[in-house]
Amino acid sequence: AQYKEEHGDCLVSKNYKEDVQLANWVRGIREKKAGLLRKGIEVEEVSPGKEILAKTLTTERLDRLNSVEFVWSVAGPTVAWEDRFKELIEYYKMNDKWPSQSMGTLGDWVHKQRTKYSRKDSNFMKSRAPKLDAVGFEWTPRGYTRMSWDEGFETLIEFGRINGHFDVPTGSEVDKKSDAHRLHKWVESLHDMYRSYKLGRQSGSLSDERVVLLIEHGFVFRDY
């Protein structure tokens, strides 16, 4: 995180001489992830009471690395957006699902598209988001909201009862593990999923019944 603040990205080279310990750690994490993917494993499960080692890639650690846009692979030349888009389509045709954000260079690319979408980057929303929409790309994949549907819905309804509205705020300085931040992120994911829902695309965990339920309780979806 400190490296990103200073350099604006997480492209830590294996030959980064200013902090050899960081360079070695990053190289080890990348090699560990590549090894897991070769075995068809996304994350490591740790049994209760078992020690979590420095390079153990748990779901929480993977999420934290992805949240700072950690680059899992830095090798190879730059690939044009259209070429990576074609690679995405081929992957979906072969696997009937979108690639994980931690799946090498293609996963890095997927993560960047979702990041630009969440930030509503004007150029991206005008030129590239429509192309991804057209193939049914999922902007918010299942299991990425950090809150289950039941927990999120109950917390949102309680928030509305207390505050009289569903505009869940967040600040620049906030504990990312706090319930307030988690609820904010969950509500933002609802708006993102609803955009896909309106287009008739896959929309994560947002079903017809859940859309109706939210509207009946007075929740207003953002009109993009």
Side-chain angles (χ1 to χ4, degrees):
Q2 182 179 345
Y3 179 95
K4 184 179 180 180
E5 288 182 6
E6 295 177 357
H7 297 83
D9 58 50
C10 291
L11 289 166
V12 183
S13 167
K14 63 180 180 180
N15 298 317
Y16 182 57
K17 296 181 180 179
E18 294 182 30
D19 191 333
V20 176
Q21 185 176 1
L22 173 63
N24 290 337
W25 182 83
V26 168
R27 184 176 66 252
I29 286 293
R30 286 175 176 150
E31 290 175 351
K32 180 64 174 291
K33 184 60 181 174
L36 291 174
L37 289 175
R38 284 194 294 270
K39 298 175 182 178
I41 301 172
E42 286 288 336
V43 296
E44 294 180 278
E45 300 291 339
V46 180
S47 302
K50 187 177 180 180
E51 180 184 3
I52 300 178
L53 303 179
K55 294 179 182 177
T56 300
L57 279 177
T58 62
T59 299
E60 181 183 359
R61 288 180 174 180
L62 196 64
D63 284 346
R64 289 178 65 186
L65 286 167
N66 284 331
S67 72
V68 296
E69 299 181 32
F70 181 77
V71 179
W72 294 98
S73 175
V74 295
T78 301
V79 178
W81 192 93
E82 291 293 343
D83 290 335
R84 196 66 83 189
F85 178 70
K86 292 177 182 177
E87 186 180 345
L88 174 75
I89 301 305
E90 288 301 315
Y91 180 94
Y92 185 83
K93 287 180 179 178
M94 293 180 62
N95 299 278
D96 197 31
K97 65 178 181 179
W98 301 111
S100 163
Q101 294 182 173
S102 57
M103 200 198 79
T105 53
L106 181 57
D108 288 338
W109 184 86
V110 165
H111 179 61
K112 289 177 182 177
Q113 307 316 300
R114 287 180 172 142
T115 298
K116 289 183 178 180
Y117 176 85
S118 66
R119 294 173 179 171
K120 300 299 180 282
D121 179 278
S122 58
N123 291 329
F124 178 81
M125 297 302 289
K126 181 179 179 180
S127 62
R128 291 175 173 172
K131 292 183 179 180
L132 288 162
D133 274 335
V135 297
F137 181 70
E138 281 192 282
W139 297 107
T140 305
R142 293 176 183 272
Y144 200 67
T145 60
R146 293 180 175 81
M147 260 193 179
S148 67
W149 164 261
D150 289 338
E151 181 187 5
F153 180 75
E154 290 176 5
T155 307
L156 178 63
I157 296 305
E158 180 64 13
F159 176 91
R161 185 187 67 78
I162 294 173
N163 297 279
H165 61 79
F166 295 111
D167 298 324
V168 183
T170 188
S172 57
E173 298 294 332
V174 66
D175 179 4
K176 292 186 177 181
K177 292 184 180 180
S178 69
D179 289 339
H181 181 72
R182 291 172 65 236
L183 179 60
H184 172 80
K185 297 298 290 185
W186 188 80
V187 170
E188 286 299 301
S189 76
L190 289 180
H191 291 302
D192 289 343
M193 288 188 286
Y194 185 67
R195 184 173 186 273
S196 295
Y197 175 86
K198 285 179 64 179
L199 293 169
R201 310 300 186 189
Q202 291 180 333
S203 50
S205 59
L206 196 62
S207 63
D208 292 337
E209 294 78 8
R210 289 175 175 177
V211 169
V212 172
L213 184 62
L214 285 163
I215 293 174
E216 286 179 342
H217 279 81
F219 184 79
V220 179
F221 286 101
R222 195 174 294 148
D223 187 15
Y224 290 102

